[in-house]
Amino acid sequence: MKKLIPLTLVYAGLLMSASAAQVFTGVITDTMCGGDHKAMGAANDAKCVRDCVKMDKRYKYALYDGKNVYTLSDQAAPEKFAAAKVKVTGTLSGKTIQVEKIEAAK
């Protein structure tokens, strides 16, 4: 019985420390360009974002909040929002957002 109580306390502590989903607002970009697509000389930012991700598997869709670039765990949904302002619901783990939902922002 003595072992059960400490394990229960540890489990309860883990549940309380689990990150709750947050809403992050920013622009869908790629991890190569971040917030500045001028160096690539693309006709528009959306094309640049899509091309960078398709061109090299090292580059991923990301969210740029004006200061930080966060890699997105979901690499399919962001394509339709390339260079658009969005709200991403998810949990932050380091510099990666574990995406639950992406929707257009106003």
Side-chain angles (χ1 to χ4, degrees):
M1 188 65 154
K2 288 183 180 181
K3 288 183 181 180
L4 182 60
I5 292 172
L7 288 176
T8 304
L9 292 175
V10 169
Y11 182 70
L14 288 173
L15 286 176
M16 285 190 275
S17 68
S19 298
Q22 297 175 274
V23 176
F24 302 87
T25 303
V27 175
I28 296 294
T29 187
D30 60 89
T31 55
M32 180 177 151
C33 294
D36 186 7
H37 300 277
K38 293 177 186 151
M40 296 302 291
N44 64 52
D45 288 351
K47 179 174 176 19
C48 181
V49 170
R50 288 184 187 103
D51 287 352
C52 286
V53 171
K54 288 178 184 175
M55 150 177 95
D56 192 323
K57 296 294 181 197
R58 291 178 295 170
Y59 307 123
K60 306 289 183 195
Y61 285 109
L63 181 76
Y64 177 63
D65 68 2
K67 194 164 71 170
N68 298 298
V69 176
Y70 300 102
T71 303
L72 300 171
S73 65
D74 182 344
Q75 290 293 297
E79 182 175 5
K80 70 179 180 179
F81 295 106
K85 187 173 181 181
V86 297
K87 291 192 300 185
V88 176
T89 303
T91 54
L92 184 61
S93 177
K95 287 294 228 176
T96 300
I97 299 173
Q98 300 301 317
V99 177
E100 293 177 16
K101 178 173 67 171
I102 301 175
E103 57 190 340
K106 295 180 180 183

Coordinates of all heavy atoms in Angstrom, one line a residue:
M1 N 0.8 -1.2 0.0 CA 0.0 0.0 0.0 C 0.9 1.3 0.0 O 0.5 2.2 -0.6 CB -0.9 0.0 1.2 CG -1.9 1.1 1.2 SD -3.1 0.9 -0.2 CE -4.5 1.7 0.4
K2 N 2.0 1.2 0.7 CA 2.9 2.4 0.7 C 3.4 2.8 -0.7 O 3.6 3.9 -0.9 CB 4.1 2.1 1.7 CG 3.7 2.1 3.1 CD 4.9 1.9 4.0 CE 4.5 1.9 5.4 NZ 5.6 1.7 6.3
K3 N 3.6 1.8 -1.5 CA 4.1 2.1 -2.9 C 3.0 2.7 -3.7 O 3.3 3.5 -4.6 CB 4.6 0.8 -3.6 CG 5.9 0.4 -3.0 CD 6.5 -0.8 -3.7 CE 7.8 -1.3 -3.2 NZ 8.3 -2.4 -3.9
L4 N 1.8 2.4 -3.5 CA 0.7 2.9 -4.3 C 0.5 4.3 -4.1 O 0.2 5.1 -5.1 CB -0.6 2.1 -3.9 CG -1.9 2.5 -4.7 CD1 -1.7 2.2 -6.2 CD2 -3.1 1.7 -4.2
I5 N 0.6 4.9 -2.9 CA 0.4 6.3 -2.7 C 1.4 7.1 -3.4 O 1.0 8.1 -4.1 CB 0.4 6.6 -1.2 CG1 -0.9 5.9 -0.5 CG2 0.4 8.1 -0.9 CD1 -0.9 6.0 0.9
P6 N 2.7 6.9 -3.3 CA 3.7 7.7 -4.1 C 3.5 7.7 -5.6 O 3.6 8.7 -6.3 CB 5.0 7.2 -3.7 CG 4.8 6.5 -2.3 CD 3.4 6.0 -2.4
L7 N 3.2 6.5 -6.1 CA 2.9 6.4 -7.6 C 1.7 7.2 -8.0 O 1.6 7.8 -9.0 CB 2.8 4.9 -8.0 CG 4.0 4.1 -8.0 CD1 3.8 2.6 -8.3 CD2 5.1 4.7 -8.9
T8 N 0.7 7.1 -7.1 CA -0.5 7.9 -7.4 C -0.2 9.4 -7.4 O -0.7 10.1 -8.3 CB -1.6 7.6 -6.4 OG1 -1.9 6.2 -6.4 CG2 -2.9 8.3 -6.7
L9 N 0.6 9.8 -6.5 CA 0.9 11.3 -6.4 C 1.8 11.7 -7.6 O 1.6 12.7 -8.2 CB 1.7 11.6 -5.1 CG 0.9 11.5 -3.8 CD1 1.8 11.7 -2.6 CD2 -0.2 12.5 -3.8
V10 N 2.7 10.8 -8.1 CA 3.5 11.1 -9.3 C 2.5 11.2 -10.5 O 2.7 12.1 -11.3 CB 4.5 10.0 -9.5 CG1 5.2 10.2 -10.9 CG2 5.6 10.1 -8.4
Y11 N 1.6 10.3 -10.6 CA 0.7 10.3 -11.8 C -0.2 11.5 -11.8 O -0.3 12.2 -12.8 CB -0.2 9.0 -11.7 CG -1.1 8.9 -12.9 CD1 -0.6 8.7 -14.2 CD2 -2.5 9.1 -12.7 CE1 -1.5 8.6 -15.3 CE2 -3.4 9.0 -13.8 CZ -2.9 8.8 -15.1 OH -3.7 8.7 -16.1
A12 N -0.7 11.9 -10.6 CA -1.5 13.1 -10.5 C -0.7 14.3 -10.9 O -1.2 15.2 -11.5 CB -2.1 13.2 -9.1
G13 N 0.6 14.4 -10.4 CA 1.4 15.5 -10.8 C 1.7 15.6 -12.3 O 1.7 16.7 -12.9
L14 N 1.9 14.5 -12.9 CA 2.0 14.5 -14.4 C 0.8 15.0 -15.1 O 0.9 15.7 -16.1 CB 2.4 13.1 -14.9 CG 3.8 12.6 -14.5 CD1 3.9 11.1 -14.9 CD2 4.8 13.4 -15.2
L15 N -0.4 14.6 -14.6 CA -1.6 15.1 -15.2 C -1.8 16.6 -15.1 O -2.2 17.3 -16.0 CB -2.8 14.4 -14.6 CG -3.0 12.9 -15.1 CD1 -4.2 12.3 -14.3 CD2 -3.2 12.8 -16.5
M16 N -1.4 17.1 -13.9 CA -1.5 18.5 -13.7 C -0.5 19.3 -14.5 O -0.8 20.5 -14.9 CB -1.4 18.8 -12.2 CG -2.6 18.5 -11.4 SD -2.6 19.1 -9.8 CE -1.6 17.8 -8.9
S17 N 0.7 18.8 -14.8 CA 1.7 19.5 -15.5 C 1.5 19.4 -17.0 O 2.2 20.0 -17.8 CB 3.1 19.0 -15.1 OG 3.3 17.7 -15.5
A18 N 0.6 18.5 -17.5 CA 0.4 18.4 -18.9 C -0.1 19.7 -19.5 O -0.9 20.4 -18.9 CB -0.7 17.3 -19.2
S19 N 0.5 20.1 -20.6 CA 0.2 21.4 -21.2 C -1.2 21.4 -21.8 O -1.6 20.4 -22.5 CB 1.2 21.7 -22.3 OG 2.5 21.8 -21.8
A20 N -1.9 22.5 -21.5 CA -3.2 22.6 -22.1 C -3.0 23.3 -23.5 O -2.1 24.0 -23.7 CB -4.1 23.5 -21.2
A21 N -4.0 23.0 -24.4 CA -3.9 23.6 -25.7 C -4.0 25.1 -25.6 O -4.7 25.7 -24.7 CB -5.1 23.1 -26.5
Q22 N -3.2 25.8 -26.5 CA -3.2 27.3 -26.5 C -3.6 27.7 -28.0 O -3.5 26.8 -28.9 CB -1.8 27.8 -26.2 CG -1.3 27.5 -24.9 CD 0.2 27.9 -24.8 OE1 1.1 27.2 -25.1 NE2 0.4 29.2 -24.3
V23 N -3.9 28.9 -28.1 CA -4.1 29.5 -29.5 C -3.0 30.4 -29.8 O -2.6 31.3 -29.1 CB -5.5 30.2 -29.6 CG1 -5.6 30.8 -30.9 CG2 -6.6 29.3 -29.2
F24 N -2.3 30.1 -31.0 CA -1.2 30.9 -31.5 C -1.7 31.6 -32.7 O -2.3 31.0 -33.6 CB 0.0 30.0 -31.8 CG 0.5 29.2 -30.6 CD1 -0.1 27.9 -30.3 CD2 1.5 29.6 -29.8 CE1 0.4 27.2 -29.3 CE2 2.0 28.9 -28.8 CZ 1.4 27.7 -28.5
T25 N -1.4 32.9 -32.8 CA -1.8 33.6 -34.0 C -0.5 34.1 -34.8 O 0.4 34.6 -34.1 CB -2.6 34.9 -33.6 OG1 -3.8 34.4 -32.9 CG2 -3.1 35.6 -34.8
G26 N -0.6 34.0 -36.1 CA 0.6 34.4 -36.9 C 0.3 34.1 -38.3 O -0.8 33.8 -38.8
V27 N 1.4 34.0 -39.1 CA 1.3 33.7 -40.5 C 2.0 32.4 -40.8 O 3.1 32.1 -40.3 CB 2.1 34.9 -41.3 CG1 2.1 34.6 -42.8 CG2 1.4 36.2 -41.0
I28 N 1.4 31.6 -41.7 CA 2.0 30.4 -42.1 C 3.2 30.7 -43.0 O 3.0 31.4 -44.0 CB 1.0 29.4 -42.8 CG1 -0.1 29.0 -41.9 CG2 1.7 28.2 -43.4 CD1 0.3 28.1 -40.7
T29 N 4.3 30.2 -42.7 CA 5.5 30.4 -43.4 C 6.2 29.0 -43.5 O 5.6 28.0 -43.3 CB 6.4 31.4 -42.7 OG1 7.5 31.7 -43.6 CG2 6.9 31.0 -41.4
D30 N 7.5 29.1 -43.8 CA 8.4 27.9 -43.9 C 9.6 28.1 -43.0 O 9.9 29.2 -42.7 CB 8.8 27.5 -45.3 CG 9.5 28.7 -45.9 OD1 10.8 28.7 -45.8 OD2 8.9 29.6 -46.5
T31 N 10.2 27.0 -42.6 CA 11.4 27.1 -41.7 C 12.6 27.7 -42.4 O 13.6 28.1 -41.7 CB 11.7 25.8 -41.0 OG1 11.9 24.8 -42.1 CG2 10.6 25.4 -40.1
M32 N 12.7 27.8 -43.7 CA 13.8 28.3 -44.4 C 13.7 29.9 -44.4 O 14.7 30.5 -44.0 CB 13.9 27.9 -45.8 CG 15.1 28.4 -46.6 SD 15.1 27.8 -48.2 CE 15.9 29.1 -49.1
C33 N 12.6 30.4 -44.8 CA 12.5 31.9 -44.9 C 12.0 32.6 -43.6 O 12.3 33.7 -43.4 CB 11.5 32.2 -46.0 SG 12.1 31.7 -47.7
G34 N 11.3 31.9 -42.8 CA 10.8 32.5 -41.6 C 9.8 33.6 -41.9 O 8.9 33.5 -42.7
G35 N 10.2 34.8 -41.5 CA 9.3 36.0 -41.7 C 9.6 36.8 -42.9 O 9.0 37.8 -43.2
D36 N 10.7 36.4 -43.7 CA 11.1 37.3 -44.8 C 11.3 36.4 -46.1 O 12.3 35.6 -46.1 CB 12.4 38.0 -44.4 CG 12.9 39.0 -45.5 OD1 12.1 39.2 -46.5 OD2 14.0 39.5 -45.4
H37 N 10.5 36.6 -47.1 CA 10.6 35.8 -48.3 C 11.2 36.6 -49.5 O 11.3 36.1 -50.6 CB 9.1 35.4 -48.7 CG 8.5 34.6 -47.7 ND1 8.7 33.2 -47.6 CD2 7.6 34.9 -46.7 CE1 8.0 32.7 -46.6 NE2 7.4 33.7 -46.0
K38 N 11.7 37.8 -49.2 CA 12.3 38.7 -50.3 C 13.5 38.1 -50.9 O 13.7 38.2 -52.1 CB 12.6 40.0 -49.7 CG 11.3 40.8 -49.3 CD 11.7 42.2 -48.7 CE 10.4 42.8 -48.2 NZ 10.6 43.7 -47.1
A39 N 14.3 37.4 -50.1 CA 15.6 36.8 -50.6 C 15.3 35.8 -51.7 O 16.2 35.6 -52.6 CB 16.4 36.3 -49.5
M40 N 14.2 35.1 -51.7 CA 13.9 34.1 -52.6 C 13.4 34.6 -54.0 O 13.4 33.9 -55.0 CB 12.9 33.1 -52.0 CG 13.4 32.3 -50.8 SD 14.9 31.4 -51.1 CE 14.3 30.1 -52.1
G41 N 13.0 35.8 -54.0 CA 12.6 36.4 -55.3 C 11.3 35.8 -55.9 O 11.1 35.9 -57.1
A42 N 10.5 35.2 -55.0 CA 9.2 34.6 -55.5 C 8.2 35.7 -55.9 O 8.3 36.8 -55.3 CB 8.6 33.7 -54.5
A43 N 7.3 35.4 -56.8 CA 6.3 36.3 -57.2 C 5.4 36.7 -56.0 O 4.9 37.9 -56.0 CB 5.5 35.7 -58.3
N44 N 5.1 35.8 -55.1 CA 4.4 36.1 -53.9 C 4.8 35.2 -52.8 O 5.4 34.2 -53.0 CB 2.9 36.1 -54.2 CG 2.4 34.7 -54.5 OD1 2.7 33.7 -53.8 ND2 1.7 34.6 -55.6
D45 N 4.5 35.6 -51.6 CA 4.9 34.9 -50.4 C 4.3 33.5 -50.3 O 5.0 32.5 -49.9 CB 4.5 35.6 -49.1 CG 5.4 36.9 -48.9 OD1 6.4 37.1 -49.7 OD2 5.1 37.7 -48.0
A46 N 3.0 33.3 -50.7 CA 2.4 32.0 -50.7 C 3.1 31.0 -51.6 O 3.4 29.9 -51.2 CB 0.9 32.1 -51.1
K47 N 3.5 31.4 -52.8 CA 4.2 30.6 -53.7 C 5.6 30.2 -53.1 O 6.0 29.1 -53.1 CB 4.4 31.2 -55.0 CG 5.2 30.4 -56.0 CD 5.2 31.0 -57.4 CE 6.1 30.3 -58.4 NZ 6.5 28.9 -58.2
C48 N 6.3 31.2 -52.5 CA 7.6 31.0 -51.9 C 7.5 29.9 -50.7 O 8.3 29.0 -50.7 CB 8.1 32.3 -51.3 SG 9.7 32.1 -50.5
V49 N 6.5 30.1 -49.9 CA 6.3 29.1 -48.8 C 6.1 27.7 -49.3 O 6.8 26.8 -48.9 CB 5.1 29.5 -47.9 CG1 4.7 28.4 -46.9 CG2 5.4 30.8 -47.2
R50 N 5.2 27.5 -50.3 CA 4.9 26.2 -50.8 C 6.1 25.6 -51.5 O 6.5 24.5 -51.4 CB 3.7 26.3 -51.8 CG 2.4 26.5 -51.1 CD 1.2 26.4 -52.0 NE 0.0 26.8 -51.4 CZ -0.6 27.9 -51.5 NH1 -0.1 28.9 -52.3 NH2 -1.7 28.2 -50.8
D51 N 6.8 26.5 -52.3 CA 8.0 26.0 -53.0 C 9.1 25.6 -52.1 O 9.8 24.6 -52.3 CB 8.5 27.1 -54.0 CG 7.6 27.3 -55.2 OD1 6.7 26.4 -55.4 OD2 7.8 28.2 -56.0
C52 N 9.4 26.3 -51.0 CA 10.4 26.0 -50.1 C 10.2 24.7 -49.4 O 11.1 23.9 -49.3 CB 10.6 27.1 -49.0 SG 11.4 28.6 -49.7
V53 N 8.9 24.4 -49.1 CA 8.6 23.1 -48.4 C 8.7 22.0 -49.4 O 9.2 20.9 -49.0 CB 7.2 23.2 -47.8 CG1 6.8 21.8 -47.3 CG2 7.2 24.2 -46.6
K54 N 8.3 22.2 -50.6 CA 8.4 21.1 -51.6 C 9.8 20.9 -52.1 O 10.1 19.8 -52.5 CB 7.4 21.4 -52.8 CG 6.0 21.3 -52.4 CD 5.1 21.7 -53.6 CE 3.6 21.7 -53.2 NZ 2.7 22.1 -54.2
M55 N 10.6 21.9 -52.2 CA 11.9 21.9 -52.8 C 12.9 21.0 -51.9 O 13.7 20.4 -52.5 CB 12.4 23.3 -52.9 CG 13.9 23.5 -52.8 SD 14.4 25.2 -53.1 CE 14.4 25.8 -51.5
D56 N 12.7 21.1 -50.6 CA 13.7 20.4 -49.8 C 13.0 19.9 -48.5 O 12.4 20.7 -47.8 CB 14.8 21.4 -49.4 CG 16.0 20.8 -48.8 OD1 15.9 19.8 -48.0 OD2 17.1 21.3 -49.0
K57 N 13.1 18.6 -48.2 CA 12.5 18.0 -47.1 C 12.9 18.6 -45.8 O 12.3 18.3 -44.7 CB 12.6 16.5 -47.1 CG 12.0 15.8 -48.3 CD 10.5 16.0 -48.3 CE 9.9 15.3 -49.5 NZ 8.5 15.7 -49.7
R58 N 14.1 19.3 -45.8 CA 14.6 19.9 -44.5 C 13.7 21.0 -44.0 O 13.6 21.3 -42.9 CB 16.0 20.4 -44.6 CG 17.0 19.3 -44.8 CD 18.4 19.9 -45.0 NE 18.4 20.7 -46.3 CZ 19.4 21.5 -46.6 NH1 20.4 21.7 -45.8 NH2 19.3 22.2 -47.8
Y59 N 13.0 21.6 -45.0 CA 12.1 22.8 -44.6 C 10.7 22.4 -44.4 O 10.1 21.6 -45.1 CB 12.2 23.8 -45.7 CG 13.7 24.2 -46.0 CD1 14.2 24.1 -47.3 CD2 14.5 24.6 -45.0 CE1 15.5 24.4 -47.6 CE2 15.8 24.9 -45.3 CZ 16.3 24.8 -46.6 OH 17.6 25.1 -46.8
K60 N 10.1 22.9 -43.4 CA 8.8 22.5 -42.9 C 7.9 23.8 -42.9 O 8.3 24.9 -42.7 CB 8.8 21.9 -41.5 CG 9.8 20.8 -41.4 CD 9.3 19.6 -42.1 CE 10.3 18.4 -41.9 NZ 10.0 17.3 -42.8
Y61 N 6.5 23.5 -42.9 CA 5.6 24.6 -42.6 C 5.7 25.0 -41.2 O 6.0 24.2 -40.3 CB 4.2 24.1 -42.9 CG 3.8 24.0 -44.4 CD1 3.7 22.8 -45.0 CD2 3.7 25.2 -45.1 CE1 3.4 22.7 -46.3 CE2 3.4 25.1 -46.5 CZ 3.2 23.8 -47.1 OH 3.0 23.8 -48.4
A62 N 5.6 26.3 -41.0 CA 5.8 26.9 -39.7 C 4.8 28.0 -39.4 O 4.2 28.5 -40.4 CB 7.2 27.3 -39.5
L63 N 4.8 28.5 -38.2 CA 4.0 29.7 -37.9 C 4.9 30.8 -37.4 O 5.8 30.5 -36.6 CB 3.0 29.3 -36.7 CG 2.1 30.5 -36.3 CD1 1.0 30.7 -37.3 CD2 1.5 30.3 -34.9
Y64 N 4.8 31.9 -38.0 CA 5.6 33.1 -37.7 C 4.7 34.1 -37.0 O 3.7 34.6 -37.5 CB 6.3 33.7 -38.9 CG 7.0 35.0 -38.6 CD1 8.2 34.9 -37.8 CD2 6.7 36.2 -39.1 CE1 8.9 36.1 -37.5 CE2 7.4 37.3 -38.9 CZ 8.5 37.3 -38.1 OH 9.2 38.4 -37.8
D65 N 5.0 34.4 -35.7 CA 4.1 35.2 -34.9 C 4.6 36.7 -34.8 O 4.2 37.5 -34.0 CB 4.0 34.7 -33.5 CG 5.2 34.7 -32.6 OD1 6.3 35.2 -33.1 OD2 5.2 34.3 -31.5
G66 N 5.6 37.0 -35.7 CA 6.2 38.4 -35.7 C 7.5 38.4 -35.0 O 8.3 39.4 -35.2
K67 N 7.8 37.4 -34.2 CA 9.0 37.3 -33.4 C 9.7 36.0 -33.5 O 10.9 35.9 -33.7 CB 8.7 37.7 -32.0 CG 9.9 38.0 -31.1 CD 9.6 38.7 -29.8 CE 8.9 37.8 -28.9 NZ 8.8 38.4 -27.5
N68 N 8.9 34.9 -33.4 CA 9.4 33.5 -33.4 C 8.8 32.7 -34.5 O 7.7 33.0 -35.0 CB 9.0 32.9 -32.1 CG 9.6 33.5 -30.9 OD1 10.8 33.6 -30.7 ND2 8.7 34.1 -30.0
V69 N 9.6 31.7 -35.0 CA 9.1 30.8 -36.0 C 8.9 29.4 -35.3 O 9.9 28.9 -34.7 CB 10.1 30.6 -37.1 CG1 9.7 29.6 -38.1 CG2 10.3 32.0 -37.8
Y70 N 7.7 28.9 -35.3 CA 7.4 27.6 -34.7 C 7.1 26.6 -35.8 O 6.2 26.8 -36.6 CB 6.2 27.7 -33.8 CG 6.4 28.7 -32.6 CD1 5.8 30.0 -32.7 CD2 7.2 28.4 -31.5 CE1 6.0 30.9 -31.6 CE2 7.3 29.3 -30.5 CZ 6.8 30.5 -30.5 OH 6.9 31.4 -29.5
T71 N 7.8 25.5 -35.8 CA 7.5 24.4 -36.7 C 6.2 23.8 -36.3 O 5.8 23.7 -35.1 CB 8.6 23.3 -36.6 OG1 9.9 23.9 -36.9 CG2 8.4 22.2 -37.6
L72 N 5.4 23.4 -37.3 CA 4.1 22.8 -37.1 C 4.2 21.3 -37.2 O 4.8 20.8 -38.2 CB 3.1 23.4 -38.1 CG 2.9 24.9 -37.9 CD1 2.0 25.4 -39.1 CD2 2.3 25.3 -36.6
S73 N 3.6 20.5 -36.3 CA 3.6 19.1 -36.4 C 2.8 18.6 -37.6 O 3.1 17.6 -38.2 CB 3.0 18.5 -35.1 OG 1.6 18.8 -34.9
D74 N 1.7 19.3 -37.9 CA 0.9 18.9 -39.1 C 1.5 19.6 -40.3 O 1.5 20.8 -40.4 CB -0.6 19.4 -38.9 CG -1.5 19.1 -40.0 OD1 -1.0 18.7 -41.1 OD2 -2.7 19.2 -39.8
Q75 N 1.9 18.8 -41.3 CA 2.5 19.3 -42.5 C 1.6 19.3 -43.7 O 2.0 19.6 -44.8 CB 3.8 18.6 -42.8 CG 4.9 19.0 -41.8 CD 5.4 20.4 -41.9 OE1 5.9 20.8 -42.9 NE2 5.1 21.2 -40.8
A76 N 0.4 18.9 -43.5 CA -0.6 18.8 -44.6 C -1.5 20.0 -44.6 O -1.7 20.7 -45.6 CB -1.4 17.5 -44.6
A77 N -2.2 20.3 -43.5 CA -3.2 21.4 -43.4 C -2.6 22.8 -43.7 O -3.3 23.6 -44.2 CB -3.8 21.3 -42.0
P78 N -1.4 23.1 -43.3 CA -0.9 24.5 -43.5 C -0.7 24.9 -45.0 O -0.7 26.0 -45.3 CB 0.5 24.5 -42.8 CG 0.5 23.3 -41.9 CD -0.4 22.3 -42.5
E79 N -0.6 23.9 -45.9 CA -0.4 24.2 -47.3 C -1.5 25.2 -47.8 O -1.2 26.2 -48.5 CB -0.4 23.0 -48.1 CG -0.1 23.3 -49.6 CD 0.1 22.1 -50.5 OE1 -0.1 21.0 -50.0 OE2 0.4 22.3 -51.7
K80 N -2.7 25.0 -47.5 CA -3.8 25.8 -48.0 C -3.8 27.2 -47.4 O -4.5 28.1 -47.9 CB -5.2 25.2 -47.9 CG -5.7 25.0 -46.5 CD -7.1 24.4 -46.5 CE -7.6 24.3 -45.1 NZ -9.0 23.7 -45.1
F81 N -3.1 27.4 -46.3 CA -3.0 28.7 -45.6 C -1.7 29.4 -45.8 O -1.3 30.3 -45.1 CB -3.2 28.5 -44.1 CG -4.6 28.0 -43.7 CD1 -4.7 26.7 -43.3 CD2 -5.7 28.8 -43.7 CE1 -6.0 26.2 -42.9 CE2 -6.9 28.4 -43.4 CZ -7.1 27.1 -42.9
A82 N -0.9 28.9 -46.8 CA 0.5 29.5 -47.0 C 0.4 31.0 -47.1 O -0.4 31.6 -47.8 CB 1.1 28.9 -48.3
A83 N 1.2 31.7 -46.3 CA 1.4 33.1 -46.2 C 0.1 33.8 -45.7 O 0.0 35.1 -45.8 CB 1.8 33.7 -47.6
A84 N -0.8 33.1 -45.2 CA -2.1 33.7 -44.6 C -2.0 33.8 -43.1 O -1.3 33.0 -42.5 CB -3.3 32.9 -45.0
K85 N -2.7 34.7 -42.6 CA -2.8 34.9 -41.1 C -3.8 33.8 -40.6 O -4.9 33.7 -41.1 CB -3.3 36.3 -40.7 CG -3.2 36.5 -39.2 CD -3.5 38.0 -38.9 CE -3.4 38.2 -37.4 NZ -3.8 39.6 -37.0
V86 N -3.3 33.1 -39.6 CA -4.1 32.0 -39.0 C -4.1 32.0 -37.5 O -3.3 32.6 -36.9 CB -3.6 30.6 -39.5 CG1 -3.7 30.5 -41.0 CG2 -2.1 30.4 -39.1
K87 N -5.0 31.2 -37.0 CA -5.0 30.8 -35.5 C -4.7 29.3 -35.5 O -5.4 28.5 -36.1 CB -6.3 31.1 -34.9 CG -6.6 32.6 -34.7 CD -7.8 32.9 -33.8 CE -9.0 32.3 -34.3 NZ -10.2 32.6 -33.5
V88 N -3.7 28.9 -34.8 CA -3.3 27.5 -34.6 C -3.6 27.1 -33.2 O -3.1 27.8 -32.2 CB -1.8 27.3 -34.9 CG1 -1.5 25.8 -34.7 CG2 -1.5 27.6 -36.4
T89 N -4.4 26.1 -33.0 CA -4.7 25.6 -31.7 C -3.8 24.4 -31.5 O -3.8 23.5 -32.3 CB -6.2 25.2 -31.5 OG1 -7.0 26.4 -31.8 CG2 -6.5 24.7 -30.1
G90 N -3.1 24.3 -30.3 CA -2.2 23.2 -30.1 C -1.4 23.4 -28.8 O -1.6 24.4 -28.1
T91 N -0.5 22.5 -28.6 CA 0.4 22.6 -27.5 C 1.9 22.9 -28.0 O 2.3 22.3 -29.0 CB 0.4 21.4 -26.6 OG1 0.6 20.2 -27.4 CG2 -1.0 21.2 -25.9
L92 N 2.6 23.7 -27.2 CA 3.9 24.0 -27.6 C 4.9 23.1 -26.9 O 4.8 22.9 -25.7 CB 4.2 25.5 -27.2 CG 5.6 26.0 -27.6 CD1 5.8 26.0 -29.1 CD2 5.8 27.4 -27.0
S93 N 5.8 22.5 -27.7 CA 6.8 21.6 -27.1 C 8.1 22.1 -27.7 O 8.4 21.8 -28.9 CB 6.5 20.2 -27.5 OG 7.6 19.3 -27.0
G94 N 8.9 22.8 -27.0 CA 10.2 23.4 -27.5 C 9.8 24.5 -28.5 O 9.1 25.4 -28.2
K95 N 10.2 24.3 -29.8 CA 9.9 25.3 -30.9 C 8.9 24.6 -31.9 O 8.8 25.0 -33.0 CB 11.1 25.7 -31.6 CG 12.0 26.6 -30.8 CD 11.3 28.0 -30.6 CE 12.2 29.1 -30.9 NZ 11.5 30.4 -30.9
T96 N 8.2 23.6 -31.4 CA 7.2 22.9 -32.3 C 5.8 23.0 -31.7 O 5.7 22.7 -30.5 CB 7.6 21.4 -32.5 OG1 8.9 21.3 -33.1 CG2 6.6 20.7 -33.4
I97 N 4.8 23.3 -32.5 CA 3.5 23.3 -32.0 C 2.8 22.0 -32.5 O 2.8 21.7 -33.7 CB 2.7 24.5 -32.6 CG1 3.3 25.8 -32.2 CG2 1.2 24.4 -32.2 CD1 2.7 27.0 -32.8
Q98 N 2.3 21.2 -31.5 CA 1.6 20.0 -31.8 C 0.2 20.5 -32.2 O -0.6 20.8 -31.3 CB 1.6 19.1 -30.6 CG 2.9 18.6 -30.1 CD 3.7 17.9 -31.2 OE1 3.2 17.0 -31.9 NE2 5.0 18.2 -31.4
V99 N -0.1 20.5 -33.5 CA -1.3 21.1 -34.0 C -2.6 20.2 -33.7 O -2.6 19.0 -34.0 CB -1.2 21.3 -35.5 CG1 -2.5 21.9 -36.1 CG2 0.0 22.2 -35.8
E100 N -3.6 20.9 -33.2 CA -4.9 20.3 -33.1 C -5.8 20.9 -34.2 O -6.7 20.1 -34.7 CB -5.5 20.6 -31.7 CG -4.8 20.0 -30.6 CD -5.4 20.3 -29.2 OE1 -6.6 20.8 -29.2 OE2 -4.7 20.1 -28.2
K101 N -5.7 22.2 -34.5 CA -6.6 22.8 -35.5 C -5.9 24.1 -36.0 O -5.2 24.8 -35.3 CB -7.9 23.2 -34.8 CG -8.9 23.9 -35.6 CD -10.2 24.1 -34.9 CE -10.1 25.1 -33.7 NZ -11.4 25.4 -33.1
I102 N -6.1 24.3 -37.3 CA -5.7 25.6 -38.0 C -6.9 26.2 -38.6 O -7.6 25.5 -39.3 CB -4.6 25.3 -39.0 CG1 -3.4 24.6 -38.4 CG2 -4.2 26.6 -39.7 CD1 -2.3 24.2 -39.4
E103 N -7.1 27.5 -38.4 CA -8.2 28.2 -39.0 C -7.7 29.6 -39.4 O -6.8 30.1 -38.8 CB -9.4 28.2 -38.1 CG -9.1 28.8 -36.8 CD -10.3 28.6 -35.8 OE1 -11.4 28.3 -36.2 OE2 -10.1 28.7 -34.6
A104 N -8.4 30.2 -40.4 CA -8.1 31.5 -40.8 C -8.3 32.5 -39.7 O -9.3 32.3 -38.9 CB -8.9 31.9 -42.0
A105 N -7.5 33.5 -39.6 CA -7.6 34.5 -38.6 C -8.1 35.8 -39.2 O -7.9 36.0 -40.4 CB -6.3 34.8 -37.8
K106 N -8.8 36.6 -38.5 CA -9.3 37.9 -39.0 C -8.3 39.0 -38.8 O -7.5 39.0 -38.0 CB -10.6 38.2 -38.4 CG -11.7 37.2 -38.8 CD -13.0 37.5 -38.1 CE -14.0 36.4 -38.6 NZ -15.3 36.6 -38.1

